[in-house]
Amino acid sequence: MKENTNKKIKTADLVMIALFAAITAVLSQIAIPMPTQVPVTLQTFAVALCGYCLGAKKGTAAILIYILLGVVGIPVFTGFKGGIVCIASFTGGFIYGFLPFAFISGIPLNSKAARILLGMAGLMVLHFFGVLHYSILTSNGFTESFLLVSAPYLVKDAISVVLAYFVSIAVNKATDKALGRL
């Protein structure tokens, strides 16, 4: 039986997935604590960058690796935290919400505006998961939780998505050149 080599993942792809999981871990440590226990971080930038640079599947794989590393106890989450307890904490919904965010950001479209809008749609899904999780844990209503852990972050997160898109253009161009794909 002839094997389809197009379905095989390339070494360069594995390296890029691992690299972007590591970038996400590093950018997760740049944080400003907040009274709601949901800090201001560069994670949204990192996750959008994963999607924009790697595409939907590989970008989501990078984020899945990042999350799995954290769940097994490696301190990759904000504040050098790790363990399953982080998923059960106030920020847990945002952590697992990174998966659809990366996937949606990585959907390939030809228009810059459409790609940025997809990133914004992914951001809204991320915030929905984060607010819902926070609401359940705190017994606050959804609206109150939104006002506490989503609304104050939306402008920063929207700017992060736009910046990630434009940074990804340069990263993709440099990567293509380095891998001889130009």
Side-chain angles (χ1 to χ4, degrees):
M1 179 179 226
K2 188 175 179 180
E3 193 171 346
N4 185 351
T5 57
N6 292 338
K7 298 286 183 183
K8 284 186 178 179
I9 191 158
K10 296 177 182 151
T11 303
D13 292 334
L14 289 173
V15 169
M16 293 300 286
I17 289 166
L19 176 65
F20 276 86
I23 288 169
T24 303
V26 169
L27 292 179
S28 294
Q29 304 316 316
I30 301 169
I32 301 169
M34 300 296 280
T36 59
Q37 298 183 34
V38 176
V40 174
T41 70
L42 291 179
Q43 287 172 307
T44 50
F45 173 80
V47 175
L49 191 65
C50 285
Y52 287 139
C53 288
L54 301 178
K57 291 178 184 176
K58 290 181 256 180
T60 303
I63 296 305
L64 180 60
I65 289 168
Y66 162 75
I67 291 171
L68 291 174
L69 288 171
V71 166
V72 298
I74 298 172
V76 296
F77 297 138
T78 301
F80 295 100
K81 293 179 185 157
I84 192 76
V85 69
C86 294
I87 301 297
S89 74
F90 292 122
T91 59
F94 291 99
I95 293 171
Y96 58 77
F98 290 154
L99 292 167
F101 179 33
F103 185 85
I104 295 167
S105 297
I107 295 171
L109 294 174
N110 292 330
S111 162
K112 286 181 186 179
R115 298 245 12 234
I116 291 170
L117 284 174
L118 270 177
M120 295 299 174
L123 181 64
M124 294 305 106
V125 171
L126 166 69
H127 275 258
F128 173 78
F129 281 115
V131 170
L132 181 62
H133 186 92
Y134 187 86
S135 174
I136 291 167
L137 286 182
T138 61
S139 299
N140 290 340
F142 190 85
T143 302
E144 183 181 354
S145 295
F146 169 78
L147 293 172
L148 287 170
V149 299
S150 181
Y153 304 84
L154 284 175
V155 171
K156 187 273 305 174
D157 286 350
I159 291 168
S160 293
V161 168
V162 173
L163 287 175
Y165 175 74
F166 287 105
V167 168
S168 76
I169 293 171
V171 169
N172 287 337
K173 197 176 284 185
T175 303
D176 286 346
K177 184 176 180 182
L179 296 175
R181 293 189 285 211
L182 284 178

